[in-house]
Amino acid sequence: MLRSSRARARLALSSVVALALAACASNPDPEMVPDQPVRLAAPDTPVKPGDCPEALRRASAQADVHVDRLPTPRSLVPAPLPVASMPEEVRYARYNSVKVTVLVDTLGRADMRTFKVVKATHPWLASSVKTAVAKWKFEPAQLAGCKVPRQFEWGATSGRAPRA
């Protein structure tokens, strides 16, 4: 009985090995495709001055398109981080940081639907900046002399960042 179990085990092992070898032998070599030349996309040509439809098309396609002039706030009124209403844990913290992004349209208004907090060490910082940015007026970005929508980034830090 012992011999027959060993014989069955050897037979099973040899059949598994035979199947594996047969499977490997039946796999044909992959078909080789000859090298084909790669077509590179032409770099974007500069927008001609005054070609506003093309400037708007490019800015709409890519929110962080390279522009001649970035959007800038006309004034920081109201202040983004008013000291009078700042909580004590923010005021006495060793390190504070906030960074936000928002899309500024062609009329110089921040589109608050696109407002994003990239980094904030305290929730009050993010909410305070959001309230202020919603009220700011901006000089819109310009591309080829045309006003275009563009992403605006703003950030502030205080203190020394902790070592990682």
Side-chain angles (χ1 to χ4, degrees):
M1 184 109 176
L2 187 59
R3 284 187 179 248
S4 64
S5 341
R6 283 187 184 169
R8 284 187 198 145
R10 282 185 187 163
L11 181 61
L13 179 63
S14 62
S15 63
V16 170
V17 170
L19 286 174
L21 289 174
C24 291
S26 66
N27 188 8
D29 290 334
E31 186 178 319
M32 299 300 287
V33 178
D35 290 339
Q36 296 178 355
V38 177
R39 288 200 282 172
L40 298 174
D44 284 339
T45 56
V47 180
K48 294 177 183 169
D51 189 3
C52 292
E54 176 63 17
L56 283 170
R57 185 191 67 76
R58 288 190 188 182
S60 297
Q62 185 178 3
D64 59 348
V65 69
H66 178 75
V67 292
D68 301 330
R69 188 178 80 193
L70 291 171
T72 54
R74 291 184 181 154
S75 66
L76 299 178
V77 176
L81 303 171
V83 177
S85 64
M86 189 177 291
E88 283 187 24
E89 57 266 16
V90 174
R91 186 175 301 160
Y92 296 115
R94 289 182 175 212
Y95 176 70
N96 284 313
S97 176
V98 62
K99 183 175 181 179
V100 298
T101 62
V102 67
L103 188 74
V104 174
D105 64 14
T106 57
L107 299 175
R109 298 253 180 206
D111 182 0
M112 296 309 287
R113 294 174 297 176
T114 64
F115 183 87
K116 291 181 186 147
V117 178
V118 177
K119 178 182 179 184
T121 55
H122 192 276
W124 178 85
L125 296 169
S127 65
S128 177
V129 171
K130 183 175 183 176
T131 303
V133 169
K135 296 176 183 176
W136 288 353
K137 304 266 191 298
F138 292 86
E139 288 293 328
Q142 286 194 355
L143 177 61
C146 304
K147 295 177 180 179
V148 294
R150 176 67 159 76
Q151 189 104 11
F152 171 73
E153 294 181 4
W154 188 86
T157 59
S158 68
R160 181 175 291 181
R163 293 185 181 215

